[in-house]
Amino acid sequence: MQQLQPKECGDCGRIIPFQIFLRDNPTITAERAQDLWEDPLIITYCPECFLNRPERPYRRRRRYYYNDRLKIRK
């Protein structure tokens, strides 16, 4: 893989190397991450700024444990 230039965070201006971006997004492949990294329309954020965005671009994972098989039927 070629060496990609670091980017600045869209909010705080912190320098984000591509390797850190790839590490913080384990669900996407390296090729997809490189496509996102090179796209001029995509704004990258450091993890702290991303999690504190006012529009909350992510969905919090909620766990509800429903198991109908364990209910006692009378």
Side-chain angles (χ1 to χ4, degrees):
M1 185 179 345
Q2 66 182 2
Q3 184 68 21
L4 298 171
Q5 293 296 322
K7 287 189 166 186
E8 289 186 4
C9 173
D11 280 345
C12 68
R14 183 182 301 161
I15 300 296
I16 308 166
F18 178 71
Q19 292 78 17
I20 301 297
F21 176 76
L22 192 60
R23 182 199 68 192
D24 290 342
N25 296 288
T27 59
I28 58 176
T29 63
E31 293 82 22
R32 177 72 178 137
Q34 184 174 353
D35 290 342
L36 292 172
W37 190 259
E38 292 173 343
D39 190 346
L41 299 176
I42 304 275
I43 299 172
T44 53
Y45 297 101
C46 66
E48 292 82 19
C49 292
F50 177 77
L51 294 174
N52 292 321
R53 298 288 304 155
E55 65 268 8
R56 301 280 188 211
Y58 63 95
R59 214 171 112 187
R60 288 191 181 262
R61 187 175 291 184
R62 292 185 179 143
R63 295 186 182 206
Y64 297 104
Y65 297 103
Y66 296 110
N67 195 341
D68 293 334
R69 292 179 289 169
L70 295 178
K71 287 183 180 178
I72 300 173
R73 296 184 184 176
K74 293 182 181 181

